[in-house]
Amino acid sequence: GRRLAEQGGKTVGSRVAFGLRLATGRQSDPVRQQVLETLFESELAHYRNNTEAASQLANMPTVPLPADADIAAMAAWTVVANVLLNLDQALTRP
């Protein structure tokens, strides 16, 4: 999730497309792109209302988040990254 947020560009769309390319080795298709963008937005809303859960998910003991990091956004990106890594195309990538 951190890599998507740090290296994927400035927009949700560019970060999702970046993640899809990393996970599958292919360009994103519009349907998957939209599903993952919607997932991010719903998770972001969820974690904005559940900051303790966001902190538990986004903070790793060995690599804490920077002080200025948006904890809810990082938790939402972590969920998206988990989904990306569990796609069939990511698991069977040549």
Side-chain angles (χ1 to χ4, degrees):
R2 289 183 189 195
R3 187 171 181 192
L4 298 179
E6 293 169 359
Q7 298 175 7
K10 298 291 183 194
T11 67
V12 171
S14 68
R15 291 173 178 178
V16 167
F18 177 70
L20 281 164
R21 276 192 314 275
L22 285 175
T24 67
R26 300 181 185 134
Q27 295 296 321
S28 65
D29 66 81
V31 173
R32 259 197 200 121
Q33 180 84 25
Q34 184 58 51
V35 168
L36 291 167
E37 288 178 26
T38 301
L39 173 65
F40 172 78
E41 296 297 340
S42 68
E43 292 299 308
L44 181 62
H46 168 74
Y47 286 118
R48 291 244 188 266
N49 292 320
N50 298 287
T51 54
E52 181 62 32
S55 181
Q56 289 176 351
L57 182 61
N59 276 308
M60 296 183 298
T62 57
V63 186
L65 287 172
D68 63 341
D70 182 340
I71 300 290
M74 294 309 297
W77 283 119
T78 300
V79 171
V80 171
N82 285 335
V83 169
L84 286 167
L85 293 173
N86 282 295
L87 291 173
D88 286 341
Q89 293 86 356
L91 297 172
T92 59
R93 185 176 166 192

